[in-house]
Structure formats: structure tokens, C-alpha cells
Amino acid sequence: MSKKALITGASRGIGRAIAIEFARAGYDLTLCCIKNIESLERLAKDLEDAYKVKCDAYQADVSDPQAVKELFSKIEPP
């Protein structure tokens, strides 16, 4: 079973840096951001290519309980 992580705010800044480090460590990632889905999708593809991990990108406001519920309904169970 592969290691998995969910990283919020992954389209830029600290979240992006965390995503890169987790991918480098071999984690499959679920990435989400609130606004910049295009940047997040590019990052996901780059990480898949560079580190041979699986990355899914979603746009979600994790401060909104309904958005979190919808996000988790899309994520593959472990």
C-alpha cells in the first residue's frame, strides 16, 4: 500500500513546498486549493512526472464544511 497525503493550499507558497517534499518522499497526493486550479493541476502533473507518484488536484474551500464533504466524496478511500 502506498503512502498518501492530503495537502491544502498546495497551489503556492508553503503548501506547494510541502507537496514537493511529500512527492519527493514517495507519497501519492491529493492536492487542493481555493482559487488557482490551473497552477495546482500543473504542479500535480509536474510531480507525477518527476517523482512517479499519483497526484489528484481539486479546487475546494476547506473552511466550508460542505466543500470538505464534497472533496472527501471524490477522494479514493485508502
Side-chain angles (χ1 to χ4, degrees):
M1 177 181 248
S2 63
K3 300 177 284 185
K4 297 181 181 187
L6 167 65
I7 302 172
T8 62
S11 67
R12 62 189 184 98
I14 294 170
R16 182 182 182 88
I18 291 168
I20 292 167
E21 290 304 313
F22 270 79
R24 187 175 289 149
Y27 281 74
D28 289 335
L29 302 174
T30 299
L31 307 175
C32 70
C33 69
I34 194 169
K35 293 182 182 177
N36 198 347
I37 190 66
E38 294 83 12
S39 176
L40 191 66
E41 289 171 340
R42 279 192 306 276
L43 174 63
K45 178 163 181 5
D46 290 346
L47 295 176
E48 287 180 335
D49 293 345
Y51 301 107
K52 308 305 180 218
V53 295
K54 182 176 185 267
C55 293
D56 296 312
Y58 299 98
Q59 187 170 9
D61 178 355
V62 296
S63 69
D64 176 356
Q66 183 60 34
V68 172
K69 184 177 180 179
E70 290 172 16
L71 173 64
F72 274 86
S73 74
K74 298 173 186 175
I75 297 174
E76 170 186 330

